[in-house]
């Protein structure tokens, strides 16, 4: 029988994450020879599919249009009840028969955290995964619990069965091109490095707007809401990369040490919190009619480090807004001359554009060409996608490739999660009834009234 260099076993392989993100990423990585030629994907699910009917269903569910032939070659469907011990023996025999001594094994838990205790226990008891075996990695993503306490419990349980070096916690934002680029922009450009502090920076906006609603994820989303779904993970990750001190080195742990120091020092202004819920949320299927879950959140936070003390960080995210856009705006103070002139000058801004088009933009003041004395705001723009040679990789492709190569920088360490949950638990204490909004225009004036800031 053929043996493989890489075996990826997916728990929860009939779900949304597998169809929309994982399968397309595997197909692309394989097509581009970024993962070994001898790769096998074992998809675990309860339903009695054949390999063909499984793939057909997933291709339709995930609207996958490319890579069908590759996936046919890679994927084997293995029906199994992952919450029953009996299923593990045949799975272990199958994996054993497919691997050699050096095989890299990824176990992707695309399942809810409530299933982690039972699944990890059986993985361990059946010796599917041996604690300490660095060739075997456990991969999963949020929700890492629903508050600090539950996150701690999950983590302690994971540490009972696996070593930290085997654990890969995904925050898919960290796989996005421009997020990876933040450190480069900050630390490899003198012009920014010199002015990256509270004497030059007026405020920072971290924004993740979406146009879609909850896309049928009622069960998860209604228990979560925008604060836990987006701020706890993606927005706080962006904030820590923007606010951290230069790390001792760019090795994973040194970078994480600096990010954690930031997360420990974040506070927020309880009077500027805004919670919103889009009109029609109660009509989504499986959402209780009296649900108060927020689909929008705005908050003003501070990072109390010498570098950033006093600089407001405006964090905003929401669903059913005017556009899909993830963006960080660093707004600089006016120059002293600028303050003296009575001209409609704007402030300099650095845009870090994360999605849909990633790149950087720098807003400057410039004289309008010609005989008039007017000024105008101009933007120097760099669009990554426009200059990339070949296709840009999607976040999951980058992350999966890094796991296969044992690179941990783009994965979150437990203490990052711990401190972000502790902040979120604190904010939760001030949760208010959400304001109902039809669109973003209903929220913008509110933010401006509360903070004086005009959010884009
Ligand atoms: C996920 C959230 O982590 O990120 C979703 O659970 C959200 O609610 C998604 O829609 C946004 O990610 P992206 O990559 O589309 O900006």
């Amino acid at each position: 029988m053929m043996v493989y260099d890489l075996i990826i076993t997916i728990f929860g392989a009939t779900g949304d994450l597998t169809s929309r993100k994982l399968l397309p990423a595997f197909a692309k990585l394989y097509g581009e020879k970024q993962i070994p030629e001898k790769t096998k994907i074992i998809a675990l699910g309860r339903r009695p599919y054949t390999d063909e009917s499984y793939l057909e269903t997933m291709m339709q569910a995930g609207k996958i249009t490319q890579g069908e032939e590759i996936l046919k070659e890679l994927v084997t469907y293995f029906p199994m009840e992952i919450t029953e011990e009996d299923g593990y023996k045949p799975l272990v025999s199958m994996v054993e028969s497919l691997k050699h001594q050096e095989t890299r094994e990824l176990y992707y838990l695309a399942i809810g955290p409530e299933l982690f205790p039972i699944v990890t226990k059986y993985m361990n008891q059946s010796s599917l995964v041996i604690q300490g075996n660095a060739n075997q990695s456990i991969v999963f993503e949020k929700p890492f619990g629903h508050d600090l306490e539950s996150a701690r419990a999950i983590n302690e349980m994971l540490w009972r069965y696996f070593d930290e070096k085997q654990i890969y916690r995904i925050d898919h934002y960290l796989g996005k091109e421009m997020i990876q680029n933040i450190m480069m922009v900050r630390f490899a450009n003198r012009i920014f490095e010199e002015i990256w502090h509270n004497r030059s920076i007026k405020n920072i906006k971290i924004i993740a707007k979406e146009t879609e609603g909850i896309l049928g994820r009622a069960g998860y989303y209604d228990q979560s809401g925008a604060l836990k779904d987006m701020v706890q993970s993606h927005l706080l990750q962006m904030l820590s990369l923007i606010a951290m001190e230069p790390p001792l080195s760019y090795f994973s742990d040194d970078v994480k040490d600096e990010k954690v120091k930031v997360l420990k020092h974040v506070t927020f202004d309880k009077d500027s919190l805004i919670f919103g819920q889009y009109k029609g949320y109660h009509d989504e299927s499986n959402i209780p009619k009296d649900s108060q879950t927020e689909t929008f959140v705005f908050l003003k936070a501070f990072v109390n480090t010498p570098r950033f003390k006093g600089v407001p960080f405006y964090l905003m995210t929401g669903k059913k807004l005017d556009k899909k856009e993830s963006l960080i705006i660093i707004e600089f103070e006016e120059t002293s001359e600028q303050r003296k002139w009575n001209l409609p000058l704007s402030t300099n801004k650095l845009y870090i554009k994360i999605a849909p088009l990633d790149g950087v933009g720098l807003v400057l003041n410039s004289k309008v060409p010609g005989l008039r004395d007017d000024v105008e705001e101009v933007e120097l723009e760099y669009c990554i996608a426009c200059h990339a040679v070949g296709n840009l990789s999607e976040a999951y492709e980058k992350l999966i490739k890094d796991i296969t190569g044992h690179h941990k920088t783009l994965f979150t360490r437990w203490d990052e999660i711990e401190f972000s949950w502790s902040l979120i638990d604190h904010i939760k204490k001030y949760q208010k009834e959400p304001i109902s909004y039809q669109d973003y225009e209903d929220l913008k004036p509110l933010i401006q009234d509360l903070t004086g800031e005009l959010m884009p």
Side-chain angles (χ1 to χ4, degrees):
M1 199 190 229
M2 167 111 151
V3 287
Y4 294 87
D5 296 328
L6 171 66
I7 301 179
I8 303 168
T9 306
I10 311 173
F11 288 75
T14 50
D16 190 53
L17 176 68
T18 310
S19 63
R20 282 194 313 117
K21 303 286 187 188
L22 302 184
L23 292 178
F26 295 141
K28 184 108 179 292
L29 284 169
Y30 193 78
E32 291 179 1
K33 301 192 174 11
Q34 296 291 335
I35 51 177
E37 202 184 336
K38 289 183 184 166
T39 290
K40 176 51 67 192
I41 296 169
I42 305 175
L44 308 180
R46 241 180 325 195
R47 277 160 256 179
Y49 290 124
T50 59
D51 292 353
E52 292 72 30
S53 63
Y54 167 71
L55 267 185
E56 205 176 296
T57 313
M58 298 307 274
M59 305 275 304
Q60 274 174 18
K63 303 194 178 78
I64 308 174
T65 51
Q66 286 174 342
E68 185 172 0
E69 289 312 310
I70 293 180
L71 290 173
K72 275 186 188 159
E73 203 180 306
L74 293 183
V75 178
T76 296
Y77 182 77
F78 190 83
M80 154 176 178
E81 183 57 78
I82 58 172
T83 54
E84 284 171 17
E85 196 174 359
D86 296 350
Y88 285 76
K89 233 179 163 180
L91 175 64
V92 173
S93 314
M94 172 163 176
V95 176
E96 288 293 330
S97 69
L98 299 177
K99 70 182 191 188
H100 56 77
Q101 283 212 322
E102 300 299 318
T103 299
R104 183 85 182 93
E105 294 167 68
L106 312 190
Y107 292 88
Y108 208 114
L109 307 183
I111 50 178
E114 67 288 354
L115 294 176
F116 280 20
I118 189 92
V119 168
T120 51
K121 181 171 138 197
Y122 290 149
M123 287 170 87
N124 175 267
Q125 282 180 1
S126 64
S127 300
L128 180 65
V129 177
I130 311 278
Q131 185 157 22
N133 181 345
N135 266 337
Q136 297 182 312
S137 300
I138 311 298
V139 187
F140 57 93
E141 59 190 277
K142 65 174 198 42
F144 307 124
H146 50 86
D147 58 11
L148 178 59
E149 199 187 328
S150 56
R152 250 190 205 136
I154 293 177
N155 195 59
E156 273 161 20
M157 190 234 7
L158 289 168
W159 279 350
R160 200 177 319 146
Y161 301 126
F162 315 112
D163 283 359
E164 177 64 18
K165 65 171 187 255
Q166 294 178 281
I167 301 175
Y168 287 77
R169 302 175 189 86
I170 287 193
D171 179 317
H172 80 276
Y173 259 60
L174 296 181
K176 290 184 192 270
E177 193 71 37
M178 199 53 222
I179 299 277
Q180 295 171 51
N181 207 353
I182 290 178
M183 285 198 280
M184 190 59 84
V185 169
R186 274 195 62 185
F187 301 127
N189 291 295
R190 180 119 211 164
I191 50 167
F192 297 129
E193 205 221 1
E194 295 276 311
I195 55 174
W196 210 263
H197 49 65
N198 53 8
R199 298 180 305 287
S200 300
I201 293 179
K202 198 169 184 172
N203 68 65
I204 294 180
K205 302 185 176 81
I206 300 179
I207 299 165
K209 295 203 247 178
E210 296 184 85
T211 48
E212 298 281 8
I214 57 169
L215 296 174
R217 295 157 77 214
Y220 156 72
Y221 197 87
D222 199 53
Q223 295 299 315
S224 170
L227 187 67
K228 293 182 180 182
D229 183 46
M230 294 291 288
V231 181
Q232 184 270 331
S233 46
H234 312 320
L235 272 70
L236 286 178
Q237 280 293 328
M238 292 193 256
L239 177 144
S240 57
L241 285 166
I242 291 289
M244 72 181 187
E245 294 301 313
L248 278 176
S249 80
Y250 290 91
F251 289 125
S252 174
D253 275 333
D254 287 337
V255 175
K256 289 181 176 115
D257 288 347
E258 292 308 328
K259 285 164 74 190
V260 166
K261 283 188 209 156
V262 170
L263 292 169
K264 273 188 197 166
H265 289 98
V266 180
T267 56
F268 66 98
D269 168 19
K270 63 178 173 30
D271 299 322
S272 69
L273 273 172
I274 300 177
F275 293 92
Q277 186 186 71
Y278 63 78
K279 290 203 166 101
Y281 179 72
H282 291 148
D283 304 326
E284 300 274 8
S285 62
N286 299 321
I287 293 293
K289 295 287 168 242
D290 57 354
S291 168
Q292 300 246 328
T293 300
E294 80 285 356
T295 58
F296 171 90
V297 65
F298 171 89
L299 72 119
K300 180 178 176 181
F302 292 95
V303 176
N304 291 316
T305 55
R307 182 186 289 274
F308 274 113
K309 205 166 178 45
V311 176
F313 284 71
Y314 299 109
L315 272 54
M316 180 174 88
T317 182
K319 298 205 181 278
K320 293 258 176 168
L321 298 180
D322 57 331
K323 54 182 156 182
K324 169 90 183 155
E325 185 172 60
S326 297
L327 170 73
I328 302 172
I329 306 172
I330 290 108
E331 181 172 353
F332 296 94
E333 295 282 2
E334 293 90 358
T335 62
S336 45
E337 289 307 295
Q338 194 175 338
R339 288 194 193 109
K340 282 192 242 162
W341 301 342
N342 193 18
L343 284 173
L345 292 165
S346 52
T347 46
N348 293 147
K349 294 175 200 72
L350 172 68
Y351 288 105
I352 297 183
K353 302 176 188 183
I354 295 144
L357 272 188
D358 37 7
V360 269
L362 185 60
V363 173
L364 307 171
N365 288 303
S366 178
K367 185 184 162 305
V368 176
L371 296 177
R372 289 181 309 153
D373 279 338
D374 294 345
V375 283
E376 65 179 347
E377 192 179 279
V378 292
E379 185 179 340
L380 309 180
E381 198 180 8
Y382 171 64
C383 149
I384 293 185
C386 315
H387 291 84
V389 180
N391 286 336
L392 269 179
S393 68
E394 292 286 333
Y396 279 88
E397 290 156 31
K398 168 71 181 154
L399 296 173
I400 292 162
K401 181 164 165 21
D402 276 8
I403 304 171
T404 59
H406 299 273
H407 301 305
K408 285 204 110 177
T409 308
L410 300 182
F411 299 86
T412 39
R413 203 170 63 186
W414 161 245
D415 48 357
E416 295 177 72
I417 293 175
E418 182 174 31
F419 286 106
S420 52
W421 267 126
S422 121
L423 176 70
I424 298 298
D425 281 1
H426 197 54
I427 299 175
K428 269 275 162 198
K429 293 187 193 138
Y430 299 92
Q431 175 120 26
K432 302 180 252 190
E433 190 178 325
I435 295 157
S436 172
Y437 62 92
Q438 180 67 42
D439 51 37
Y440 184 46
E441 288 308 313
D442 290 347
L443 298 160
K444 232 169 141 173
L446 266 175
I447 301 174
Q448 203 174 3
D449 282 354
L450 215 57
T451 62
E453 273 309 309
L454 187 61
M455 296 295 281

